[in-house]
Amino acid sequence: MSSLLPSKKRKVSEPDSAALDSPPPMLDESSGPMTAVPKNSDTTIDEALYSRQLYVLGHEAMKHLQKSSVLISGLRGLGVEIAKNIILGGVKAVTLHDEGTAQWSDLSSQVVVLANTPLQCQLQVAEVCHSRGIKLVVADTRGLFGQLFCDFGEEMLLRDSTGEQPLSAMVSMVTKGNPGIVTCLDEAQHGFESGDFVSFSEVQGMKELNGREPIEIQVLGPYTFSICDTSSFSDYICGGIVSQVKLSKKISFKPLVASLAEPDFVITDFAKYSHPAHLHIGFQALHEFCVQNSRQPRPHNKEDAEKVVALAQAVNAGALPSVRQDILDEDLIRKLAYVAAGDLAPINAFIGGLAAQEVMKACSGKFMPIRQWLYFDALECLPEDQEGSMEDKCVPHQNRYDGQVAVFGTDLQEQLGEQKYFLVGAGAIGCELLKNFAMIGLGCGEHGEITVTDMDTIEKSNLNRQFLFRSWDVTKSKSERAAAAVRQINPHIRVISHQNRVGPDTEHIYTDDFFQNLDGVANALDNVDARMYVDQRCVLYRKPLLESGTQGTKGSVQVVIPFLTESYRSSYDPPEKSIPICTLRNFPNVIEHTLQWARDEFEGLFKQPAENANQYLTDPKFMDRTLGLAGTQCLEVLEAVQRSLVQQRPHTWVDCVTWAYHHWHTKYSDDIQQLLHNFPPNQLTSSGALFWSGPKRCPHPLTFDVNNSLHLDYVMAAANLFAQMYGLTGSQDRSSLVTLLQSLPVPRFTPKSGVKIHDSDEELQDSSASFDDSHLQEVKGKLPSPASLSGFKMHPIDFEKDDDSNFHMDFIVAASNLRAENYDISPADRHKSKMIAGKIIPAIATTTAAVVGLVCLELYKVVQGHQKLQSYRNSFINLALPLFIFSEPLAPPRHQYYHRVWTLWDCFEVRGRQPNGEEMTLKQFLDYFKTEHRLEVTMLSQGVSMLYSFFMPGAKLKKRLEQPLTEIVSCVSKRKLGQHVRTLVLELCCSDVNGDDVEVPYVRYIIR
């Protein structure tokens, strides 16, 4: 039987092959190609393992993925990177081919991946794949260049091109006409695009729209769009929800031979818009050079480079007119030849992440594939002002870094080894960064070092994308196990693991000396506050910061360079818009509202009451502190304590069930009846419009039914959580629970007049809540004395979304969906509820790999000391679309006082110790600025502590002026400065000699 792929003489190195030892599949080696197969042959999805990826792909796409087989041929760095990402993704089987002969039978896979394969082999395999309906991905990396090609056949079914949740909006008007015009409520823009399909529900009057087949729309404005002919429909009255409908469609691909002649490109960098067409020719010339010479062009060799340029001119001359370039970019082709022998882990990570995502698209039909060529280069990584030939510095030394030395030479390799870096976070991005650091040799020299810290432990859900971890690492420290894993990849890496949070409370660990000794910092964090803090420290110590993040198929990279770029805090995403209080309390209209309400219920029922009760019993100052709360808060807290310790305190499981049963009636029946009593269904507003219209959905009370599983779920979860809070034993016996509930009488409720319910947050803020002081005293008098409950302790419950046995998510799902039923809102399943209530960030290994590849390309530039803003790249990618945006970082904003121009990187450096050894007093500090900088300090602060202000009382000011600054700081902050503190950051408000306020830099006050 003839072979399709020639024998390769390269084996996978041990560190790289270890990356394939992932929990989802098991690797079985035989005499032929190696195949990764899953532990289970069915398509049951392990949600505990794949939970974060499921939020990216969805269950349907994941099931398609688990039925798919993939062949990967070519296991250099790129092939291994692709294999790692695909195996983590959870496909059915992965066959790995490198050394030996591939047979026709190997092409029984649904997807074939060719990595770093000769062009002639690509064409041969591509012809077979296209004729047999096998999807093909071709990936290639050459030094700082990458190439990707996809052929998914003539009729690929695309189920969802973006992966975004379908949009929906509330309708305020639909006109009769051809076409009809739909106007949405002006609370938020509808977000639809022309060509989208939508469906309607809950429309009153024009009922012909409800349940109709999806309608194609044309967007007219941010709140309007046109639909079909509505001229014969009934008149629109009110209401309605319009929802986006995602329809499957078929897309076609040209075979490789045709696409090679007439390519279509996905642009990765619009600043290099012309590069793909030239690189398309250049890669063909490179393949021809290898055929003619049986080798790659020698690194930075001018003779070989000119041969490649000549071959490229020949390819260009024979190309079709649509492809032929009038003037071939010979300099670009020459640089391609210079670095083609190189093999860089960051480029492999980026192209490998993209290639693996394309494989997942081919298997699942989820997300828009690359159609059909993608070229990428990172030439900015080369030295900025290169003079002379680098060839003599790029000679191979027969070690693991030869592929990198072929591109950059030995100087950069030595610099990388001596770097001292601080990696904050050892999760998905942290693991990828550590792997890449080990592969490129960062911190592997005699004086190099990487410090990684992460306070989290490993959970099962981490194993799907944090590939340094194995199943036996669950419950162990992330940073410790990640450090151990990368030592296996590269034994020379000098890595130290910590389990600390990075913040103000660990500044005695991450001291001035610690930061001063660093060469740079890389963030691998999942929250803005931590990012802001690390960014602040990097600005203070003037250290480069590599910032990155992912969310599903989206990823971003920001590089922060002292004095050259703005910092992270200069421009970051605004916080999420909060849900109005009144919407949560009484007027929800989407499932997100009911889920947030359920989360608030959880905190208000099972955490806060227990915490308050424990403080009342143990803290003598609790009562005074509570009485000092504003408004009615003090009364509400004390009433809650009384309920917890007296009125609602259970003693048996039956008491817990009774409480849960009564609480069900309060929330889903009684409160709704009271709301409808205040605002009847037909009530009109002052303008004559229906009160229950637009975003206000008219609710209805529920009737408890023991045969309704959702009702039973709520009582079971609530009763067990209530029992846990009091240290009582719960139960999971549903049949005995039904029997018990059937014996309980239905609580009676009659709506009351005079109960105030606010219908907007504005009305709530304008209201002045008050209470009768005698009632407060009555509540205080009914509280049991702490002495009478000596030894009693409640157990506050912290919400934990990932433990399916603790009743937390059972309560959230039931509470939210019951609330949704009250308001006729479509319920959410447990999977979606967990994502929203748990604020889970969707994640997938492919995006993480691609983003970290981009981070490490910026690292090359940082280590070389690039000083041109245009050399660096901030990036945003969305692998689903696919979309790539690269841009130069922004320069820091410039400010000025007098004739001095300054940026966020500048500061006043003031030495607190005088020549006589004594510390500067506040008066001397103020005089210094007046004398040296002609600035009148009007206010001085350190953190949240106000040290000085011009309006300070005279006696206080007189005393403070004679005190040393550190003494004032300790006094005001009520904290003694530790011996590790060498500098203080002081903020100033100043005026100039004319008395005008001026903005000035901060002060770096050196005390040791």
Side-chain angles (χ1 to χ4, degrees):
M1 184 178 292
S2 62
S3 65
L4 287 173
L5 299 169
S7 171
K8 293 182 182 282
K9 302 302 182 184
R10 180 184 176 92
K11 292 184 178 180
V12 182
S13 64
E14 281 303 312
D16 289 344
S17 61
L20 299 175
D21 179 22
S22 171
M26 297 181 292
L27 295 181
D28 296 332
E29 294 191 55
S30 62
S31 57
M34 186 164 63
T35 302
V37 295
K39 295 180 181 178
N40 299 310
S41 59
D42 60 19
T43 55
T44 301
I45 300 172
D46 186 344
E47 293 195 3
L49 177 62
Y50 293 107
S51 63
R52 300 327 187 246
Q53 181 172 298
L54 277 167
Y55 294 122
V56 182
L57 298 178
H59 282 77
E60 181 184 1
M62 191 68 202
K63 287 178 180 177
H64 285 292
L65 205 62
Q66 289 192 333
K67 296 176 182 177
S68 300
S69 301
V70 180
L71 167 66
I72 301 174
S73 180
L75 292 176
R76 296 176 60 197
L78 176 60
V80 172
E81 182 70 32
I82 296 170
K84 177 258 293 181
N85 294 327
I86 292 173
I87 291 172
L88 288 173
V91 296
K92 177 183 177 181
V94 177
T95 301
L96 305 175
H97 165 262
D98 190 64
E99 189 175 19
T101 304
Q103 305 297 323
W104 288 102
S105 59
D106 291 325
L107 295 184
S108 61
S109 302
Q110 286 98 327
V111 184
V112 171
V113 181
L114 302 180
N116 298 115
T117 307
L119 179 59
Q120 194 57 43
C121 292
Q122 294 176 16
L123 291 167
Q124 189 179 5
V125 172
E127 182 182 1
V128 175
C129 288
H130 194 84
S131 65
R132 298 189 178 191
I134 299 170
K135 299 175 176 65
L136 174 70
V137 175
V138 178
D140 203 351
T141 56
R142 305 294 176 107
L144 288 165
F145 294 83
Q147 177 196 56
L148 200 57
F149 169 78
C150 296
D151 173 13
F152 295 165
E154 296 182 5
E155 285 194 345
M156 176 196 173
L157 184 63
L158 181 63
R159 296 179 175 87
D160 182 353
S161 62
T162 68
E164 300 292 338
Q165 288 294 316
L167 300 170
S168 64
M170 292 184 179
V171 177
S172 64
M173 183 63 193
V174 185
T175 64
K176 294 178 69 171
N178 187 12
I181 307 298
V182 178
T183 303
C184 299
L185 290 175
D186 59 6
E187 286 195 333
Q189 298 181 8
H190 55 61
F192 299 136
E193 296 179 0
S194 293
D196 282 351
F197 285 82
V198 300
S199 63
F200 291 85
S201 61
E202 301 183 26
V203 175
Q204 296 184 38
M206 197 177 284
K207 294 186 177 181
E208 292 88 345
L209 289 175
N210 294 331
R212 193 180 182 88
E213 289 293 315
I215 304 168
E216 187 174 359
I217 67 169
Q218 294 295 316
V219 171
L220 304 176
Y223 305 100
T224 57
F225 56 86
S226 63
I227 52 173
C228 58
D229 183 359
T230 60
S231 54
S232 62
F233 291 1
S234 307
D235 290 337
Y236 174 81
I237 297 176
C238 67
I241 296 174
V242 56
S243 302
Q244 184 183 33
V245 179
K246 296 197 173 187
L247 301 177
S248 298
K249 63 179 180 180
K250 291 183 178 180
I251 55 176
S252 62
F253 293 76
K254 292 184 287 189
L256 177 59
V257 63
S259 189
L260 196 64
E262 294 184 281
D264 296 309
F265 301 118
V266 171
I267 304 300
T268 57
D269 189 343
F270 283 91
K272 304 174 181 179
Y273 189 83
S274 63
H275 281 203
H278 295 273
L279 290 176
H280 189 69
I281 292 168
F283 266 78
Q284 294 178 66
L286 203 57
H287 281 291
E288 184 59 31
F289 179 94
C290 294
V291 169
Q292 292 182 12
N293 297 273
S294 301
R295 62 173 174 84
Q296 297 274 12
R298 288 166 291 182
H300 294 272
N301 181 273
K302 292 184 178 180
E303 180 185 353
D304 284 358
E306 293 308 319
K307 289 181 180 179
V308 174
V309 170
L311 289 169
Q313 291 288 13
V315 173
N316 188 46
L320 293 176
S322 59
V323 180
R324 188 183 307 128
Q325 302 300 303
D326 294 335
I327 301 176
L328 190 66
D329 189 340
E330 293 187 358
D331 185 56
L332 181 64
I333 305 299
R334 199 170 286 114
K335 288 177 179 176
L336 171 63
Y338 281 160
V339 302
D343 189 18
L344 299 177
I347 292 289
N348 290 335
F350 179 67
I351 297 298
L354 270 59
Q357 188 65 63
E358 294 308 302
V359 171
M360 292 186 182
K361 293 175 185 179
C363 295
S364 67
K366 186 77 174 274
F367 308 138
M368 178 62 73
I370 290 173
R371 301 173 71 187
Q372 288 185 254
W373 291 95
L374 178 145
Y375 287 93
F376 173 78
D377 73 78
L379 289 173
E380 302 82 17
C381 293
L382 291 172
E384 285 182 323
D385 300 308
Q386 182 180 333
E387 295 181 4
S389 174
M390 289 179 60
E391 185 176 4
D392 59 333
K393 295 183 179 180
C394 299
V395 178
H397 290 69
Q398 304 306 314
N399 65 31
R400 66 184 304 136
Y401 305 122
D402 280 351
Q404 194 161 262
V405 169
V407 176
F408 297 110
T410 54
D411 290 349
L412 176 59
Q413 196 58 55
E414 292 173 4
Q415 288 177 284
L416 287 166
E418 299 304 312
Q419 293 290 298
K420 292 181 175 65
Y421 254 76
F422 186 27
L423 174 57
V424 189
I429 289 178
C431 282
E432 282 287 343
L433 280 170
L434 277 174
K435 180 261 291 183
N436 277 272
F437 290 170
M439 300 287 276
I440 68 176
L442 188 78
C444 294
E446 182 180 354
H447 303 293
E449 188 174 83
I450 297 170
T451 302
V452 56
T453 186
D454 195 311
M455 62 184 298
D456 285 348
T457 55
I458 300 163
E459 299 175 358
K460 185 177 180 180
S461 63
N462 301 146
L463 303 180
N464 166 240
R465 63 203 183 283
Q466 299 174 20
F467 78 103
L468 294 180
F469 307 141
R470 300 294 179 265
S471 57
W472 52 84
D473 291 328
V474 171
T475 73
K476 296 178 183 176
S477 163
K478 283 186 176 182
S479 59
E480 184 180 307
R481 297 312 304 154
V486 293
R487 289 190 195 103
Q488 292 185 329
I489 294 176
N490 187 342
H492 296 105
I493 192 167
R494 301 165 67 89
V495 57
I496 299 172
S497 62
H498 292 175
Q499 290 80 47
N500 305 314
R501 185 194 304 274
V502 178
D505 55 338
T506 53
E507 287 180 6
H508 64 288
I509 299 173
Y510 306 113
T511 61
D512 294 344
D513 288 344
F514 175 84
F515 272 94
Q516 293 288 14
N517 290 329
L518 293 175
D519 291 297
V521 179
N523 268 351
L525 294 161
D526 61 0
N527 70 88
V528 172
D529 290 341
R531 286 185 168 111
M532 295 274 279
Y533 175 81
V534 175
D535 175 75
Q536 184 184 42
R537 302 298 277 179
C538 288
V539 170
L540 175 62
Y541 298 105
R542 296 167 179 174
K543 300 297 178 182
L545 171 65
L546 299 170
E547 172 61 61
S548 59
T550 68
Q551 183 175 5
T553 57
K554 304 181 185 75
S556 63
V557 176
Q558 181 181 359
V559 58
V560 177
I561 305 297
F563 300 102
L564 191 64
T565 74
E566 66 178 8
S567 72
Y568 172 77
R569 66 191 297 121
S570 300
S571 57
Y572 57 91
D573 292 337
E576 291 184 13
K577 190 176 180 181
S578 60
I579 304 170
I581 295 173
C582 287
T583 299
L584 284 177
R585 287 182 179 175
N586 299 306
F587 308 113
N589 54 65
V590 292
I591 197 65
E592 286 78 5
H593 296 165
T594 66
L595 281 163
Q596 184 58 55
W597 178 87
R599 279 287 282 112
D600 293 345
E601 274 279 286
F602 187 98
E603 297 292 316
L605 292 174
F606 309 120
K607 183 179 180 181
Q608 292 169 359
E611 290 178 339
N612 288 335
N614 288 342
Q615 288 181 39
Y616 169 74
L617 295 174
T618 60
D619 185 356
K621 296 182 179 179
F622 172 78
M623 186 61 72
D624 291 339
R625 196 166 57 245
T626 301
L627 293 175
L629 295 174
T632 61
Q633 290 183 71
C634 61
L635 179 62
E636 292 168 358
V637 170
L638 293 181
E639 284 181 333
V641 171
Q642 184 192 16
R643 285 195 298 271
S644 298
L645 297 179
V646 181
Q647 295 174 342
Q648 295 180 351
R649 180 181 173 184
H651 297 279
T652 64
W653 167 245
V654 174
D655 293 341
C656 295
V657 172
T658 303
W659 171 86
Y661 179 68
H662 286 161
H663 196 75
W664 187 100
H665 281 86
T666 299
K667 292 300 176 182
Y668 303 110
S669 179
D670 302 353
D671 287 355
I672 301 300
Q673 291 181 56
Q674 183 66 56
L675 182 62
L676 292 173
H677 177 77
N678 283 44
F679 305 108
N682 57 355
Q683 179 164 319
L684 302 178
T685 64
S686 57
S687 62
L690 278 171
F691 177 85
W692 294 107
S693 62
K696 289 186 172 69
R697 301 174 67 88
C698 186
H700 63 274
L702 304 182
T703 301
F704 189 85
D705 182 0
V706 293
N707 296 314
N708 187 311
S709 60
L710 188 60
H711 296 192
L712 210 59
D713 288 345
Y714 179 91
V715 175
M716 176 68 80
N720 272 285
L721 291 169
F722 200 62
Q724 288 176 32
M725 192 168 59
Y726 284 93
L728 300 174
T729 302
S731 171
Q732 298 188 42
D733 189 338
R734 290 178 76 91
S735 60
S736 63
L737 179 64
V738 170
T739 303
L740 176 56
L741 289 171
Q742 288 173 334
S743 68
L744 296 177
V746 177
R748 293 186 177 182
F749 175 78
T750 303
K752 301 174 184 176
S753 299
V755 175
K756 179 64 178 176
I757 298 178
H758 302 288
D759 65 354
S760 70
D761 277 15
E762 292 77 10
E763 182 184 309
L764 177 62
Q765 290 170 1
D766 292 340
S767 66
S768 55
S770 61
F771 59 88
D772 186 355
D773 186 64
S774 62
H775 180 49
L776 175 62
Q777 297 303 319
E778 181 184 349
V779 173
K780 283 178 60 180
K782 291 183 178 179
L783 288 172
S785 67
S788 67
L789 291 171
S790 178
F792 175 75
K793 180 183 178 181
M794 294 184 66
H795 306 277
I797 301 175
D798 292 313
F799 178 67
E800 170 50 59
K801 61 186 178 297
D802 289 320
D803 182 354
D804 287 336
S805 66
N806 63 10
F807 291 103
H808 296 197
M809 278 309 304
D810 298 286
F811 177 82
I812 296 295
V813 174
S816 171
N817 285 339
L818 286 166
R819 179 88 164 163
E821 187 179 347
N822 277 138
Y823 288 85
D824 293 317
I825 298 169
S826 297
D829 61 19
R830 188 184 187 89
H831 181 69
K832 182 177 180 179
S833 298
K834 183 185 288 190
M835 182 185 75
I836 297 171
K839 298 182 179 178
I840 292 174
I841 300 173
I844 192 167
T846 50
T847 310
T848 305
V851 163
V852 169
L854 295 174
V855 170
C856 290
L857 290 175
E858 298 308 306
L859 176 62
Y860 283 142
K861 305 169 190 176
V862 173
V863 173
Q864 292 177 85
H866 283 18
Q867 286 302 311
K868 295 178 181 178
L869 195 64
Q870 60 267 32
S871 295
Y872 292 96
R873 292 287 184 273
N874 288 343
S875 51
F876 172 80
I877 63 174
N878 187 342
L879 302 186
L881 299 180
L883 172 69
F884 306 90
I885 299 174
F886 294 91
S887 61
E888 293 177 13
L890 294 176
R894 295 161 68 88
H895 310 279
Q896 183 174 348
Y897 70 93
Y898 296 135
H899 296 294
R900 179 181 174 182
V901 177
W902 62 278
T903 72
L904 63 93
W905 296 101
D906 295 300
C907 68
F908 296 109
E909 285 206 352
V910 179
R911 294 197 171 274
R913 292 290 171 186
Q914 301 177 81
N916 62 6
E918 293 183 358
E919 189 191 343
M920 183 182 286
T921 64
L922 174 59
K923 183 178 185 305
Q924 290 170 327
F925 181 88
L926 300 177
D927 290 343
Y928 168 82
F929 274 89
K930 189 178 294 186
T931 304
E932 297 294 325
H933 300 286
R934 296 189 298 151
L935 293 171
E936 183 78 33
V937 178
T938 55
M939 283 192 287
L940 175 66
S941 62
Q942 193 264 333
V944 296
S945 301
M946 180 64 69
L947 309 182
Y948 162 77
S949 65
F950 68 92
F951 51 79
M952 192 172 279
K956 187 176 183 181
L957 176 58
K958 183 178 179 180
K959 177 183 177 183
R960 194 163 285 188
L961 285 171
E962 302 305 320
Q963 291 178 296
L965 275 175
T966 55
E967 186 179 315
I968 298 172
V969 170
S970 296
C971 177
V972 176
S973 66
K974 296 182 173 59
R975 288 192 307 173
K976 187 177 180 180
L977 294 176
Q979 288 298 312
H980 64 279
V981 180
R982 294 181 179 275
T983 61
L984 294 175
V985 176
L986 307 176
E987 300 286 346
L988 301 175
C989 289
C990 295
S991 58
D992 60 17
V993 293
N994 298 318
D996 296 327
D997 291 338
V998 290
E999 193 173 357
V1000 297
Y1002 67 92
V1003 177
R1004 192 163 180 263
Y1005 184 71
I1006 303 169
I1007 59 177
R1008 294 186 178 88

